[in-house]
């Protein structure tokens, strides 16, 4: 199978405008993401709606495709980019443009999901540990995933699911394995075309999680497990944390 990676990157962001161009360890964030992906997948492109990001990607020698400013989600942007550059690929991998520490093992875990011919969509999760603490578990910006025995996603939520009845919350991470969603997706080409034509669903609107639209419409989302901790960059504070994380890694 052939895999193409698409990295959606918008300039406008409510919490962190110009985020892809923010400098992390001397390089733009979008360059760090691209360098983590290129060479692991058969091809990789940044998909953007802004000429400043386009210019930055070309400056470091990356491949970039311009897309519409009107897309409501990274998935929609991925599909437009794929239609422009991706003929001949079986699976499109959607890599978040704010995940500069995405690892080869994570991309390989998503690719492995497609060894099962019934897989339509794949994503990743990471188990929460007891040391993460309840405050981390209840963070609404870190969606949780309930996974079935066959490693299909049953539901995604910003709330803590499942609720443990008659158990002190301080002990919830002791008695059950909760899974944190890692925002890395991969789709078979025909499935990506289908899901981008679906109207927004009630569950998606309620939780503001687009993957619920796919579940609500009956698509199977296969889940791979990663033990790797990454830092996504949503705010300037996250960028500062990422600088510390990068220096620690480089010092090892």
């Amino acid at each position: 199978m052939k895999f193409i990676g698409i990295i959606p990157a918008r300039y406008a962001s409510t919490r962190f405008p110009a985020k892809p161009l923010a400098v992390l360890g001397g390089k733009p964030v979008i360059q760090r993401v691209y360098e983590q992906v290129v060479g692991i997948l058969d091809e990789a492109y940044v998909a953007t709606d802004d000429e400043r990001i386009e210019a930055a990607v070309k400056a470091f020698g990356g491949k970039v495709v311009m897309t519409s400013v009107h897309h409501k989600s990274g998935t929609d942007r991925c599909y437009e980019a794929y239609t422009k550059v991706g003929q001949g690929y079986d699976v499109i991998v959607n890599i978040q443009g704010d995940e500069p520490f995405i690892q080869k093992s994570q991309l390989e875990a998503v690719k492995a999901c497609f060894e099962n011919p019934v897989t339509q969509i794949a994503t990743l999760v990471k188990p929460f540990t007891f040391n993460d603490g309840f405050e981390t578990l209840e963070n609404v910006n870190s969606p949780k995933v309930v996974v079935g025995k066959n490693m299909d996603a049953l539901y995604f939520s910003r709330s803590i699911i499942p609720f443990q009845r008659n158990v002190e919350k301080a002990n919830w991470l002791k008695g059950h394995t909760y899974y944190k969603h890692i925002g890395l997706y991969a789709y078979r080409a025909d499935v990506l075309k289908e899901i981008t034509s679906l109207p927004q669903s009630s569950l998606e609107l309620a939780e503001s999680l687009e993957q619920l639209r796919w579940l609500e419409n009956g698509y199977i989302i296969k889940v791979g497990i990663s033990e790797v901790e990454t830092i996504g960059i949503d705010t300037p504070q996250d960028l500062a944390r990422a600088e510390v994380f990068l220096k620690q890694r480089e010092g090892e």
Side-chain angles (χ1 to χ4, degrees), residues 6-182:
I6 305 289
I7 308 167
R10 293 187 310 125
Y11 190 89
S13 170
T14 305
R15 288 182 288 180
F16 195 172
K19 178 170 61 175
L21 302 181
V23 175
L24 172 60
K27 297 179 181 180
V29 168
I30 192 63
Q31 181 176 353
R32 291 208 170 266
V33 179
Y34 185 89
E35 289 176 350
Q36 293 294 101
V37 174
V38 70
I40 298 172
L41 304 176
D42 296 293
E43 188 64 274
Y45 278 84
V46 173
T48 188
D49 60 359
D50 191 274
E51 292 177 353
R52 288 162 290 191
I53 295 174
E54 179 189 36
V57 175
K58 287 181 176 178
F60 67 72
K63 294 183 177 181
V64 60
V65 57
M66 289 295 289
T67 53
S68 169
V69 298
H70 301 297
H71 291 308
K72 292 183 177 179
S73 73
T75 305
D76 295 333
R77 193 174 306 285
C78 264
Y79 181 63
E80 183 192 350
Y82 169 72
T83 61
K84 290 182 173 179
V85 303
Q87 301 307 310
Y89 291 92
D90 303 292
V91 175
I92 299 93
V93 184
N94 176 353
I95 299 104
Q96 304 287 333
D98 56 7
E99 286 280 353
F101 302 109
I102 190 89
Q103 295 295 301
K104 178 180 179 180
S105 63
Q106 295 175 307
L107 294 168
E108 296 289 359
V110 163
K111 287 171 66 176
C113 290
F114 290 90
E115 294 171 7
N116 186 331
V118 305
T119 300
Q120 297 175 298
I121 302 169
T123 194
L124 280 187
V125 298
K126 180 182 182 297
F128 284 96
T129 68
F130 182 73
N131 290 335
D132 287 327
F134 186 79
E135 184 178 339
T136 300
L137 182 64
E138 68 177 348
N139 181 357
V140 297
N141 293 316
S142 182
K144 275 62 70 174
V145 191
V146 174
V147 180
K149 289 184 178 179
N150 56 359
M151 296 307 294
D152 292 342
L154 300 179
Y155 193 71
F156 298 78
S157 182
R158 296 185 183 279
S159 296
I160 304 173
I161 50 173
F163 181 93
Q164 292 188 57
R165 192 175 181 184
N166 300 324
V167 178
E168 290 290 331
K169 289 183 177 180
N171 294 321
W172 278 15
L173 284 165
K174 283 184 177 178
H176 179 80
T177 301
Y178 288 90
Y179 291 105
K180 167 185 175 181
H181 185 225
I182 297 173

